[in-house]
Amino acid sequence: MLRLSVNIDHIATIRQARRGVEPDPIAAAVLAELAGADGIIMHLREDRRHIQDRDLRLARQVVRTKLNLEMAATDEMQHIALDVRPDIVTLVPEKREELTTEGGLEVFARMDSVKKFIGPIQDAGIPVSLFVDPDEQQISAAKKAGAAWVEIHTGAYANGKNDRERNEEFGKIVESALLAASLGLRVGAGHGLNYVNVKAVARIREVEELNIGHSIISRASLVGIERAVRDMIMAISN
Ligand code: PXP
């Protein structure tokens, strides 16, 4: 069955708006799991704009499903990952000025450094996923770099302005998922998925897991987290 992991960064964004203690992303993680989420994702950014070190450490104790630490490939983050030991690490590019992760990781042109970076993490028993654009070259490079998973960036599909653009981008996601699976990579997908555009992606058989944040937390702000997660599980199940 297709699995859903919920990104709770936006709960921390609301908390940081007042630099206070609520809403607590750990409470959101617990409720998302109670509603059936298969995993919890948090992105510890270099600038700590939303998730804090305390959140990650508490989540490690509290999350019962699968804790996915999204992070940039820096020495500091590698050190934290090896110390906290999430169930999986997802490497993403990170720019200070961006509102959210914008593009996929450049794996093809930086193969040696990616390979060196993920080695110690996977040697410690933590699988690494590379967040890549739906691009053949990047998928093949992810395999060569030794990653266990790829997460296919669905942002261009989600942001397509018309059917033609969306169909074109969707085709790239399907091809990339097929290629990744044929290379023996495990396949996730995410970014920009909502209750409508998720349905087509949920039908791609090679995709094992969807990683969704913004649309669930947006809906949760109106209807509550448990209902929002349940609604998404309904949207992705046949
Ligand atoms: N996957 C990755 C690698 C991401 O960086 C993000 C955004 O933090 C998501 C999935 C979730 O994207 P969205 O919040 O648009 O659902």
Side-chain angles (χ1 to χ4, degrees), residues 69-96:
L69 170 61
E70 242 184 65
M71 60 182 225
T74 65
D75 289 345
E76 183 202 14
M77 288 300 151
Q78 190 185 58
H79 185 77
I80 291 172
L82 290 171
D83 186 33
V84 174
R85 302 189 57 83
D87 298 298
I88 182 167
V89 161
T90 299
L91 291 186
V92 298
E94 200 173 285
K95 291 192 227 105
R96 266 171 202 274

mmCIF file with all atom_site columns, all heavy atoms in Angstrom, residues 69-96:
data_model
loop_
_atom_site.group_PDB
_atom_site.id
_atom_site.type_symbol
_atom_site.label_atom_id
_atom_site.label_alt_id
_atom_site.label_comp_id
_atom_site.label_asym_id
_atom_site.label_entity_id
_atom_site.label_seq_id
_atom_site.pdbx_PDB_ins_code
_atom_site.Cartn_x
_atom_site.Cartn_y
_atom_site.Cartn_z
_atom_site.occupancy
_atom_site.B_iso_or_equiv
_atom_site.pdbx_formal_charge
_atom_site.auth_seq_id
_atom_site.auth_comp_id
_atom_site.auth_asym_id
_atom_site.auth_atom_id
_atom_site.pdbx_PDB_model_num
ATOM 1   N N   . LEU A 1 69 ? 14.492 12.680 8.436  1.00 0.00 ? 69 LEU A N   1
ATOM 2   C CA  . LEU A 1 69 ? 15.177 13.968 8.632  1.00 0.00 ? 69 LEU A CA  1
ATOM 3   C C   . LEU A 1 69 ? 15.613 14.508 7.281  1.00 0.00 ? 69 LEU A C   1
ATOM 4   O O   . LEU A 1 69 ? 16.439 13.912 6.598  1.00 0.00 ? 69 LEU A O   1
ATOM 5   C CB  . LEU A 1 69 ? 16.405 13.788 9.549  1.00 0.00 ? 69 LEU A CB  1
ATOM 6   C CG  . LEU A 1 69 ? 17.346 14.997 9.641  1.00 0.00 ? 69 LEU A CG  1
ATOM 7   C CD1 . LEU A 1 69 ? 16.631 16.230 10.200 1.00 0.00 ? 69 LEU A CD1 1
ATOM 8   C CD2 . LEU A 1 69 ? 18.567 14.662 10.512 1.00 0.00 ? 69 LEU A CD2 1
ATOM 9   N N   . GLU A 1 70 ? 14.992 15.631 6.929  1.00 0.00 ? 70 GLU A N   1
ATOM 10  C CA  . GLU A 1 70 ? 15.399 16.331 5.708  1.00 0.00 ? 70 GLU A CA  1
ATOM 11  C C   . GLU A 1 70 ? 16.504 17.288 6.085  1.00 0.00 ? 70 GLU A C   1
ATOM 12  O O   . GLU A 1 70 ? 16.372 18.017 7.074  1.00 0.00 ? 70 GLU A O   1
ATOM 13  C CB  . GLU A 1 70 ? 14.216 17.174 5.228  1.00 0.00 ? 70 GLU A CB  1
ATOM 14  C CG  . GLU A 1 70 ? 13.701 16.805 3.886  1.00 0.00 ? 70 GLU A CG  1
ATOM 15  C CD  . GLU A 1 70 ? 12.603 17.761 3.491  1.00 0.00 ? 70 GLU A CD  1
ATOM 16  O OE1 . GLU A 1 70 ? 12.876 18.948 3.307  1.00 0.00 ? 70 GLU A OE1 1
ATOM 17  O OE2 . GLU A 1 70 ? 11.465 17.302 3.392  1.00 0.00 ? 70 GLU A OE2 1
ATOM 18  N N   . MET A 1 71 ? 17.554 17.328 5.292  1.00 0.00 ? 71 MET A N   1
ATOM 19  C CA  . MET A 1 71 ? 18.678 18.202 5.647  1.00 0.00 ? 71 MET A CA  1
ATOM 20  C C   . MET A 1 71 ? 19.560 18.490 4.443  1.00 0.00 ? 71 MET A C   1
ATOM 21  O O   . MET A 1 71 ? 19.501 17.790 3.433  1.00 0.00 ? 71 MET A O   1
ATOM 22  C CB  . MET A 1 71 ? 19.508 17.553 6.767  1.00 0.00 ? 71 MET A CB  1
ATOM 23  C CG  . MET A 1 71 ? 20.083 16.193 6.370  1.00 0.00 ? 71 MET A CG  1
ATOM 24  S SD  . MET A 1 71 ? 21.015 15.410 7.701  1.00 0.00 ? 71 MET A SD  1
ATOM 25  C CE  . MET A 1 71 ? 22.471 14.870 6.745  1.00 0.00 ? 71 MET A CE  1
ATOM 26  N N   . ALA A 1 72 ? 20.381 19.515 4.594  1.00 0.00 ? 72 ALA A N   1
ATOM 27  C CA  . ALA A 1 72 ? 21.368 19.829 3.571  1.00 0.00 ? 72 ALA A CA  1
ATOM 28  C C   . ALA A 1 72 ? 22.621 18.992 3.829  1.00 0.00 ? 72 ALA A C   1
ATOM 29  O O   . ALA A 1 72 ? 22.838 18.518 4.944  1.00 0.00 ? 72 ALA A O   1
ATOM 30  C CB  . ALA A 1 72 ? 21.712 21.319 3.627  1.00 0.00 ? 72 ALA A CB  1
ATOM 31  N N   . ALA A 1 73 ? 23.437 18.829 2.791  1.00 0.00 ? 73 ALA A N   1
ATOM 32  C CA  . ALA A 1 73 ? 24.653 18.021 2.927  1.00 0.00 ? 73 ALA A CA  1
ATOM 33  C C   . ALA A 1 73 ? 25.781 18.867 3.522  1.00 0.00 ? 73 ALA A C   1
ATOM 34  O O   . ALA A 1 73 ? 26.707 19.277 2.823  1.00 0.00 ? 73 ALA A O   1
ATOM 35  C CB  . ALA A 1 73 ? 25.044 17.449 1.565  1.00 0.00 ? 73 ALA A CB  1
ATOM 36  N N   . THR A 1 74 ? 25.683 19.140 4.825  1.00 0.00 ? 74 THR A N   1
ATOM 37  C CA  . THR A 1 74 ? 26.741 19.906 5.503  1.00 0.00 ? 74 THR A CA  1
ATOM 38  C C   . THR A 1 74 ? 27.336 19.049 6.618  1.00 0.00 ? 74 THR A C   1
ATOM 39  O O   . THR A 1 74 ? 26.692 18.097 7.085  1.00 0.00 ? 74 THR A O   1
ATOM 40  C CB  . THR A 1 74 ? 26.182 21.200 6.144  1.00 0.00 ? 74 THR A CB  1
ATOM 41  O OG1 . THR A 1 74 ? 25.260 20.820 7.179  1.00 0.00 ? 74 THR A OG1 1
ATOM 42  C CG2 . THR A 1 74 ? 25.460 22.076 5.124  1.00 0.00 ? 74 THR A CG2 1
ATOM 43  N N   . ASP A 1 75 ? 28.539 19.416 7.060  1.00 0.00 ? 75 ASP A N   1
ATOM 44  C CA  . ASP A 1 75 ? 29.191 18.649 8.137  1.00 0.00 ? 75 ASP A CA  1
ATOM 45  C C   . ASP A 1 75 ? 28.352 18.674 9.406  1.00 0.00 ? 75 ASP A C   1
ATOM 46  O O   . ASP A 1 75 ? 28.213 17.673 10.099 1.00 0.00 ? 75 ASP A O   1
ATOM 47  C CB  . ASP A 1 75 ? 30.577 19.238 8.439  1.00 0.00 ? 75 ASP A CB  1
ATOM 48  C CG  . ASP A 1 75 ? 31.550 18.947 7.298  1.00 0.00 ? 75 ASP A CG  1
ATOM 49  O OD1 . ASP A 1 75 ? 31.235 18.084 6.451  1.00 0.00 ? 75 ASP A OD1 1
ATOM 50  O OD2 . ASP A 1 75 ? 32.608 19.603 7.255  1.00 0.00 ? 75 ASP A OD2 1
ATOM 51  N N   . GLU A 1 76 ? 27.783 19.862 9.685  1.00 0.00 ? 76 GLU A N   1
ATOM 52  C CA  . GLU A 1 76 ? 26.972 19.986 10.907 1.00 0.00 ? 76 GLU A CA  1
ATOM 53  C C   . GLU A 1 76 ? 25.794 18.995 10.870 1.00 0.00 ? 76 GLU A C   1
ATOM 54  O O   . GLU A 1 76 ? 25.521 18.295 11.844 1.00 0.00 ? 76 GLU A O   1
ATOM 55  C CB  . GLU A 1 76 ? 26.426 21.422 11.040 1.00 0.00 ? 76 GLU A CB  1
ATOM 56  C CG  . GLU A 1 76 ? 25.630 21.616 12.323 1.00 0.00 ? 76 GLU A CG  1
ATOM 57  C CD  . GLU A 1 76 ? 24.645 22.787 12.290 1.00 0.00 ? 76 GLU A CD  1
ATOM 58  O OE1 . GLU A 1 76 ? 24.355 23.316 11.200 1.00 0.00 ? 76 GLU A OE1 1
ATOM 59  O OE2 . GLU A 1 76 ? 24.163 23.156 13.377 1.00 0.00 ? 76 GLU A OE2 1
ATOM 60  N N   . MET A 1 77 ? 25.100 18.950 9.740  1.00 0.00 ? 77 MET A N   1
ATOM 61  C CA  . MET A 1 77 ? 23.925 18.081 9.640  1.00 0.00 ? 77 MET A CA  1
ATOM 62  C C   . MET A 1 77 ? 24.317 16.602 9.662  1.00 0.00 ? 77 MET A C   1
ATOM 63  O O   . MET A 1 77 ? 23.603 15.778 10.234 1.00 0.00 ? 77 MET A O   1
ATOM 64  C CB  . MET A 1 77 ? 23.132 18.412 8.370  1.00 0.00 ? 77 MET A CB  1
ATOM 65  C CG  . MET A 1 77 ? 22.407 19.726 8.450  1.00 0.00 ? 77 MET A CG  1
ATOM 66  S SD  . MET A 1 77 ? 21.214 19.766 9.819  1.00 0.00 ? 77 MET A SD  1
ATOM 67  C CE  . MET A 1 77 ? 21.207 21.507 10.194 1.00 0.00 ? 77 MET A CE  1
ATOM 68  N N   . GLN A 1 78 ? 25.458 16.289 9.063  1.00 0.00 ? 78 GLN A N   1
ATOM 69  C CA  . GLN A 1 78 ? 25.894 14.891 9.087  1.00 0.00 ? 78 GLN A CA  1
ATOM 70  C C   . GLN A 1 78 ? 26.134 14.443 10.533 1.00 0.00 ? 78 GLN A C   1
ATOM 71  O O   . GLN A 1 78 ? 25.734 13.352 10.955 1.00 0.00 ? 78 GLN A O   1
ATOM 72  C CB  . GLN A 1 78 ? 27.165 14.723 8.257  1.00 0.00 ? 78 GLN A CB  1
ATOM 73  C CG  . GLN A 1 78 ? 27.528 13.265 8.055  1.00 0.00 ? 78 GLN A CG  1
ATOM 74  C CD  . GLN A 1 78 ? 28.844 13.114 7.354  1.00 0.00 ? 78 GLN A CD  1
ATOM 75  O OE1 . GLN A 1 78 ? 29.864 13.605 7.838  1.00 0.00 ? 78 GLN A OE1 1
ATOM 76  N NE2 . GLN A 1 78 ? 28.832 12.447 6.212  1.00 0.00 ? 78 GLN A NE2 1
ATOM 77  N N   . HIS A 1 79 ? 26.747 15.342 11.287 1.00 0.00 ? 79 HIS A N   1
ATOM 78  C CA  . HIS A 1 79 ? 27.040 15.064 12.684 1.00 0.00 ? 79 HIS A CA  1
ATOM 79  C C   . HIS A 1 79 ? 25.730 14.841 13.469 1.00 0.00 ? 79 HIS A C   1
ATOM 80  O O   . HIS A 1 79 ? 25.608 13.889 14.245 1.00 0.00 ? 79 HIS A O   1
ATOM 81  C CB  . HIS A 1 79 ? 27.819 16.267 13.237 1.00 0.00 ? 79 HIS A CB  1
ATOM 82  C CG  . HIS A 1 79 ? 28.283 16.079 14.634 1.00 0.00 ? 79 HIS A CG  1
ATOM 83  N ND1 . HIS A 1 79 ? 29.375 15.303 14.955 1.00 0.00 ? 79 HIS A ND1 1
ATOM 84  C CD2 . HIS A 1 79 ? 27.786 16.542 15.801 1.00 0.00 ? 79 HIS A CD2 1
ATOM 85  C CE1 . HIS A 1 79 ? 29.515 15.306 16.261 1.00 0.00 ? 79 HIS A CE1 1
ATOM 86  N NE2 . HIS A 1 79 ? 28.573 16.050 16.810 1.00 0.00 ? 79 HIS A NE2 1
ATOM 87  N N   . ILE A 1 80 ? 24.761 15.718 13.232 1.00 0.00 ? 80 ILE A N   1
ATOM 88  C CA  . ILE A 1 80 ? 23.470 15.615 13.934 1.00 0.00 ? 80 ILE A CA  1
ATOM 89  C C   . ILE A 1 80 ? 22.758 14.310 13.544 1.00 0.00 ? 80 ILE A C   1
ATOM 90  O O   . ILE A 1 80 ? 22.227 13.596 14.391 1.00 0.00 ? 80 ILE A O   1
ATOM 91  C CB  . ILE A 1 80 ? 22.589 16.854 13.633 1.00 0.00 ? 80 ILE A CB  1
ATOM 92  C CG1 . ILE A 1 80 ? 23.199 18.095 14.297 1.00 0.00 ? 80 ILE A CG1 1
ATOM 93  C CG2 . ILE A 1 80 ? 21.146 16.640 14.111 1.00 0.00 ? 80 ILE A CG2 1
ATOM 94  C CD1 . ILE A 1 80 ? 22.525 19.415 13.925 1.00 0.00 ? 80 ILE A CD1 1
ATOM 95  N N   . ALA A 1 81 ? 22.767 13.998 12.256 1.00 0.00 ? 81 ALA A N   1
ATOM 96  C CA  . ALA A 1 81 ? 22.081 12.777 11.793 1.00 0.00 ? 81 ALA A CA  1
ATOM 97  C C   . ALA A 1 81 ? 22.691 11.537 12.452 1.00 0.00 ? 81 ALA A C   1
ATOM 98  O O   . ALA A 1 81 ? 21.966 10.636 12.896 1.00 0.00 ? 81 ALA A O   1
ATOM 99  C CB  . ALA A 1 81 ? 22.164 12.673 10.275 1.00 0.00 ? 81 ALA A CB  1
ATOM 100 N N   . LEU A 1 82 ? 24.012 11.510 12.528 1.00 0.00 ? 82 LEU A N   1
ATOM 101 C CA  . LEU A 1 82 ? 24.668 10.327 13.113 1.00 0.00 ? 82 LEU A CA  1
ATOM 102 C C   . LEU A 1 82 ? 24.399 10.233 14.614 1.00 0.00 ? 82 LEU A C   1
ATOM 103 O O   . LEU A 1 82 ? 24.364 9.142  15.179 1.00 0.00 ? 82 LEU A O   1
ATOM 104 C CB  . LEU A 1 82 ? 26.179 10.365 12.829 1.00 0.00 ? 82 LEU A CB  1
ATOM 105 C CG  . LEU A 1 82 ? 26.542 10.128 11.363 1.00 0.00 ? 82 LEU A CG  1
ATOM 106 C CD1 . LEU A 1 82 ? 28.019 10.398 11.105 1.00 0.00 ? 82 LEU A CD1 1
ATOM 107 C CD2 . LEU A 1 82 ? 26.178 8.702  10.934 1.00 0.00 ? 82 LEU A CD2 1
ATOM 108 N N   . ASP A 1 83 ? 24.176 11.378 15.235 1.00 0.00 ? 83 ASP A N   1
ATOM 109 C CA  . ASP A 1 83 ? 23.898 11.394 16.666 1.00 0.00 ? 83 ASP A CA  1
ATOM 110 C C   . ASP A 1 83 ? 22.426 11.032 16.962 1.00 0.00 ? 83 ASP A C   1
ATOM 111 O O   . ASP A 1 83 ? 22.134 10.193 17.802 1.00 0.00 ? 83 ASP A O   1
ATOM 112 C CB  . ASP A 1 83 ? 24.241 12.803 17.193 1.00 0.00 ? 83 ASP A CB  1
ATOM 113 C CG  . ASP A 1 83 ? 24.126 12.865 18.699 1.00 0.00 ? 83 ASP A CG  1
ATOM 114 O OD1 . ASP A 1 83 ? 24.413 11.842 19.343 1.00 0.00 ? 83 ASP A OD1 1
ATOM 115 O OD2 . ASP A 1 83 ? 23.738 13.932 19.224 1.00 0.00 ? 83 ASP A OD2 1
ATOM 116 N N   . VAL A 1 84 ? 21.499 11.662 16.229 1.00 0.00 ? 84 VAL A N   1
ATOM 117 C CA  . VAL A 1 84 ? 20.061 11.469 16.507 1.00 0.00 ? 84 VAL A CA  1
ATOM 118 C C   . VAL A 1 84 ? 19.528 10.163 15.908 1.00 0.00 ? 84 VAL A C   1
ATOM 119 O O   . VAL A 1 84 ? 18.589 9.576  16.426 1.00 0.00 ? 84 VAL A O   1
ATOM 120 C CB  . VAL A 1 84 ? 19.253 12.683 15.981 1.00 0.00 ? 84 VAL A CB  1
ATOM 121 C CG1 . VAL A 1 84 ? 17.751 12.463 16.123 1.00 0.00 ? 84 VAL A CG1 1
ATOM 122 C CG2 . VAL A 1 84 ? 19.665 13.955 16.723 1.00 0.00 ? 84 VAL A CG2 1
ATOM 123 N N   . ARG A 1 85 ? 20.109 9.733  14.814 1.00 0.00 ? 85 ARG A N   1
ATOM 124 C CA  . ARG A 1 85 ? 19.715 8.498  14.139 1.00 0.00 ? 85 ARG A CA  1
ATOM 125 C C   . ARG A 1 85 ? 18.227 8.451  13.740 1.00 0.00 ? 85 ARG A C   1
ATOM 126 O O   . ARG A 1 85 ? 17.442 7.639  14.268 1.00 0.00 ? 85 ARG A O   1
ATOM 127 C CB  . ARG A 1 85 ? 20.063 7.264  14.999 1.00 0.00 ? 85 ARG A CB  1
ATOM 128 C CG  . ARG A 1 85 ? 21.544 7.167  15.338 1.00 0.00 ? 85 ARG A CG  1
ATOM 129 C CD  . ARG A 1 85 ? 21.895 5.855  15.987 1.00 0.00 ? 85 ARG A CD  1
ATOM 130 N NE  . ARG A 1 85 ? 21.516 4.725  15.152 1.00 0.00 ? 85 ARG A NE  1
ATOM 131 C CZ  . ARG A 1 85 ? 22.254 4.250  14.155 1.00 0.00 ? 85 ARG A CZ  1
ATOM 132 N NH1 . ARG A 1 85 ? 23.420 4.781  13.892 1.00 0.00 ? 85 ARG A NH1 1
ATOM 133 N NH2 . ARG A 1 85 ? 21.829 3.242  13.435 1.00 0.00 ? 85 ARG A NH2 1
ATOM 134 N N   . PRO A 1 86 ? 17.833 9.299  12.800 1.00 0.00 ? 86 PRO A N   1
ATOM 135 C CA  . PRO A 1 86 ? 16.484 9.177  12.249 1.00 0.00 ? 86 PRO A CA  1
ATOM 136 C C   . PRO A 1 86 ? 16.384 7.856  11.480 1.00 0.00 ? 86 PRO A C   1
ATOM 137 O O   . PRO A 1 86 ? 17.401 7.197  11.248 1.00 0.00 ? 86 PRO A O   1
ATOM 138 C CB  . PRO A 1 86 ? 16.400 10.371 11.288 1.00 0.00 ? 86 PRO A CB  1
ATOM 139 C CG  . PRO A 1 86 ? 17.815 10.621 10.881 1.00 0.00 ? 86 PRO A CG  1
ATOM 140 C CD  . PRO A 1 86 ? 18.653 10.295 12.091 1.00 0.00 ? 86 PRO A CD  1
ATOM 141 N N   . ASP A 1 87 ? 15.168 7.489  11.079 1.00 0.00 ? 87 ASP A N   1
ATOM 142 C CA  . ASP A 1 87 ? 15.002 6.229  10.339 1.00 0.00 ? 87 ASP A CA  1
ATOM 143 C C   . ASP A 1 87 ? 15.475 6.363  8.901  1.00 0.00 ? 87 ASP A C   1
ATOM 144 O O   . ASP A 1 87 ? 15.785 5.364  8.249  1.00 0.00 ? 87 ASP A O   1
ATOM 145 C CB  . ASP A 1 87 ? 13.535 5.799  10.382 1.00 0.00 ? 87 ASP A CB  1
ATOM 146 C CG  . ASP A 1 87 ? 13.110 5.537  11.807 1.00 0.00 ? 87 ASP A CG  1
ATOM 147 O OD1 . ASP A 1 87 ? 13.704 4.629  12.432 1.00 0.00 ? 87 ASP A OD1 1
ATOM 148 O OD2 . ASP A 1 87 ? 12.230 6.254  12.322 1.00 0.00 ? 87 ASP A OD2 1
ATOM 149 N N   . ILE A 1 88 ? 15.467 7.582  8.393  1.00 0.00 ? 88 ILE A N   1
ATOM 150 C CA  . ILE A 1 88 ? 15.953 7.841  7.037  1.00 0.00 ? 88 ILE A CA  1
ATOM 151 C C   . ILE A 1 88 ? 16.380 9.314  6.973  1.00 0.00 ? 88 ILE A C   1
ATOM 152 O O   . ILE A 1 88 ? 15.817 10.153 7.683  1.00 0.00 ? 88 ILE A O   1
ATOM 153 C CB  . ILE A 1 88 ? 14.867 7.497  5.975  1.00 0.00 ? 88 ILE A CB  1
ATOM 154 C CG1 . ILE A 1 88 ? 15.369 7.715  4.548  1.00 0.00 ? 88 ILE A CG1 1
ATOM 155 C CG2 . ILE A 1 88 ? 13.572 8.259  6.206  1.00 0.00 ? 88 ILE A CG2 1
ATOM 156 C CD1 . ILE A 1 88 ? 14.465 7.099  3.466  1.00 0.00 ? 88 ILE A CD1 1
ATOM 157 N N   . VAL A 1 89 ? 17.373 9.592  6.149  1.00 0.00 ? 89 VAL A N   1
ATOM 158 C CA  . VAL A 1 89 ? 17.812 10.974 5.904  1.00 0.00 ? 89 VAL A CA  1
ATOM 159 C C   . VAL A 1 89 ? 17.488 11.308 4.450  1.00 0.00 ? 89 VAL A C   1
ATOM 160 O O   . VAL A 1 89 ? 17.769 10.507 3.556  1.00 0.00 ? 89 VAL A O   1
ATOM 161 C CB  . VAL A 1 89 ? 19.334 11.122 6.145  1.00 0.00 ? 89 VAL A CB  1
ATOM 162 C CG1 . VAL A 1 89 ? 19.886 12.366 5.463  1.00 0.00 ? 89 VAL A CG1 1
ATOM 163 C CG2 . VAL A 1 89 ? 19.650 11.162 7.636  1.00 0.00 ? 89 VAL A CG2 1
ATOM 164 N N   . THR A 1 90 ? 16.860 12.467 4.233  1.00 0.00 ? 90 THR A N   1
ATOM 165 C CA  . THR A 1 90 ? 16.636 12.932 2.861  1.00 0.00 ? 90 THR A CA  1
ATOM 166 C C   . THR A 1 90 ? 17.502 14.160 2.625  1.00 0.00 ? 90 THR A C   1
ATOM 167 O O   . THR A 1 90 ? 17.383 15.151 3.359  1.00 0.00 ? 90 THR A O   1
ATOM 168 C CB  . THR A 1 90 ? 15.152 13.298 2.633  1.00 0.00 ? 90 THR A CB  1
ATOM 169 O OG1 . THR A 1 90 ? 14.357 12.126 2.850  1.00 0.00 ? 90 THR A OG1 1
ATOM 170 C CG2 . THR A 1 90 ? 14.922 13.792 1.205  1.00 0.00 ? 90 THR A CG2 1
ATOM 171 N N   . LEU A 1 91 ? 18.364 14.072 1.627  1.00 0.00 ? 91 LEU A N   1
ATOM 172 C CA  . LEU A 1 91 ? 19.239 15.219 1.321  1.00 0.00 ? 91 LEU A CA  1
ATOM 173 C C   . LEU A 1 91 ? 18.548 16.145 0.338  1.00 0.00 ? 91 LEU A C   1
ATOM 174 O O   . LEU A 1 91 ? 18.064 15.713 -0.718 1.00 0.00 ? 91 LEU A O   1
ATOM 175 C CB  . LEU A 1 91 ? 20.549 14.744 0.709  1.00 0.00 ? 91 LEU A CB  1
ATOM 176 C CG  . LEU A 1 91 ? 21.486 13.998 1.647  1.00 0.00 ? 91 LEU A CG  1
ATOM 177 C CD1 . LEU A 1 91 ? 22.801 13.731 0.909  1.00 0.00 ? 91 LEU A CD1 1
ATOM 178 C CD2 . LEU A 1 91 ? 21.750 14.790 2.926  1.00 0.00 ? 91 LEU A CD2 1
ATOM 179 N N   . VAL A 1 92 ? 18.504 17.410 0.707  1.00 0.00 ? 92 VAL A N   1
ATOM 180 C CA  . VAL A 1 92 ? 17.878 18.434 -0.136 1.00 0.00 ? 92 VAL A CA  1
ATOM 181 C C   . VAL A 1 92 ? 18.855 19.588 -0.307 1.00 0.00 ? 92 VAL A C   1
ATOM 182 O O   . VAL A 1 92 ? 19.708 19.817 0.550  1.00 0.00 ? 92 VAL A O   1
ATOM 183 C CB  . VAL A 1 92 ? 16.558 18.965 0.492  1.00 0.00 ? 92 VAL A CB  1
ATOM 184 C CG1 . VAL A 1 92 ? 15.530 17.856 0.625  1.00 0.00 ? 92 VAL A CG1 1
ATOM 185 C CG2 . VAL A 1 92 ? 16.798 19.616 1.842  1.00 0.00 ? 92 VAL A CG2 1
ATOM 186 N N   . PRO A 1 93 ? 18.729 20.333 -1.411 1.00 0.00 ? 93 PRO A N   1
ATOM 187 C CA  . PRO A 1 93 ? 19.536 21.549 -1.530 1.00 0.00 ? 93 PRO A CA  1
ATOM 188 C C   . PRO A 1 93 ? 18.919 22.607 -0.622 1.00 0.00 ? 93 PRO A C   1
ATOM 189 O O   . PRO A 1 93 ? 17.731 22.548 -0.330 1.00 0.00 ? 93 PRO A O   1
ATOM 190 C CB  . PRO A 1 93 ? 19.392 21.927 -3.004 1.00 0.00 ? 93 PRO A CB  1
ATOM 191 C CG  . PRO A 1 93 ? 18.138 21.291 -3.448 1.00 0.00 ? 93 PRO A CG  1
ATOM 192 C CD  . PRO A 1 93 ? 17.852 20.118 -2.563 1.00 0.00 ? 93 PRO A CD  1
ATOM 193 N N   . GLU A 1 94 ? 19.705 23.536 -0.165 1.00 0.00 ? 94 GLU A N   1
ATOM 194 C CA  . GLU A 1 94 ? 19.162 24.544 0.758  1.00 0.00 ? 94 GLU A CA  1
ATOM 195 C C   . GLU A 1 94 ? 19.776 25.898 0.442  1.00 0.00 ? 94 GLU A C   1
ATOM 196 O O   . GLU A 1 94 ? 20.984 26.041 0.401  1.00 0.00 ? 94 GLU A O   1
ATOM 197 C CB  . GLU A 1 94 ? 19.522 24.117 2.190  1.00 0.00 ? 94 GLU A CB  1
ATOM 198 C CG  . GLU A 1 94 ? 18.681 24.745 3.256  1.00 0.00 ? 94 GLU A CG  1
ATOM 199 C CD  . GLU A 1 94 ? 18.985 24.139 4.635  1.00 0.00 ? 94 GLU A CD  1
ATOM 200 O OE1 . GLU A 1 94 ? 18.557 23.008 4.903  1.00 0.00 ? 94 GLU A OE1 1
ATOM 201 O OE2 . GLU A 1 94 ? 19.676 24.796 5.415  1.00 0.00 ? 94 GLU A OE2 1
ATOM 202 N N   . LYS A 1 95 ? 18.894 26.867 0.198  1.00 0.00 ? 95 LYS A N   1
ATOM 203 C CA  . LYS A 1 95 ? 19.381 28.240 -0.021 1.00 0.00 ? 95 LYS A CA  1
ATOM 204 C C   . LYS A 1 95 ? 18.706 29.112 1.021  1.00 0.00 ? 95 LYS A C   1
ATOM 205 O O   . LYS A 1 95 ? 17.527 28.943 1.316  1.00 0.00 ? 95 LYS A O   1
ATOM 206 C CB  . LYS A 1 95 ? 18.983 28.746 -1.412 1.00 0.00 ? 95 LYS A CB  1
ATOM 207 C CG  . LYS A 1 95 ? 19.687 28.072 -2.549 1.00 0.00 ? 95 LYS A CG  1
ATOM 208 C CD  . LYS A 1 95 ? 19.436 28.840 -3.849 1.00 0.00 ? 95 LYS A CD  1
ATOM 209 C CE  . LYS A 1 95 ? 19.057 27.919 -4.976 1.00 0.00 ? 95 LYS A CE  1
ATOM 210 N NZ  . LYS A 1 95 ? 17.680 27.894 -5.390 1.00 0.00 ? 95 LYS A NZ  1
ATOM 211 N N   . ARG A 1 96 ? 19.440 30.036 1.559  1.00 0.00 ? 96 ARG A N   1
ATOM 212 C CA  . ARG A 1 96 ? 18.909 30.871 2.636  1.00 0.00 ? 96 ARG A CA  1
ATOM 213 C C   . ARG A 1 96 ? 17.671 31.650 2.226  1.00 0.00 ? 96 ARG A C   1
ATOM 214 O O   . ARG A 1 96 ? 16.742 31.809 2.999  1.00 0.00 ? 96 ARG A O   1
ATOM 215 C CB  . ARG A 1 96 ? 19.961 31.887 3.070  1.00 0.00 ? 96 ARG A CB  1
ATOM 216 C CG  . ARG A 1 96 ? 20.770 31.411 4.221  1.00 0.00 ? 96 ARG A CG  1
ATOM 217 C CD  . ARG A 1 96 ? 21.928 32.349 4.480  1.00 0.00 ? 96 ARG A CD  1
ATOM 218 N NE  . ARG A 1 96 ? 22.961 31.641 5.211  1.00 0.00 ? 96 ARG A NE  1
ATOM 219 C CZ  . ARG A 1 96 ? 22.990 31.513 6.514  1.00 0.00 ? 96 ARG A CZ  1
ATOM 220 N NH1 . ARG A 1 96 ? 22.062 32.029 7.258  1.00 0.00 ? 96 ARG A NH1 1
ATOM 221 N NH2 . ARG A 1 96 ? 23.960 30.847 7.113  1.00 0.00 ? 96 ARG A NH2 1
#
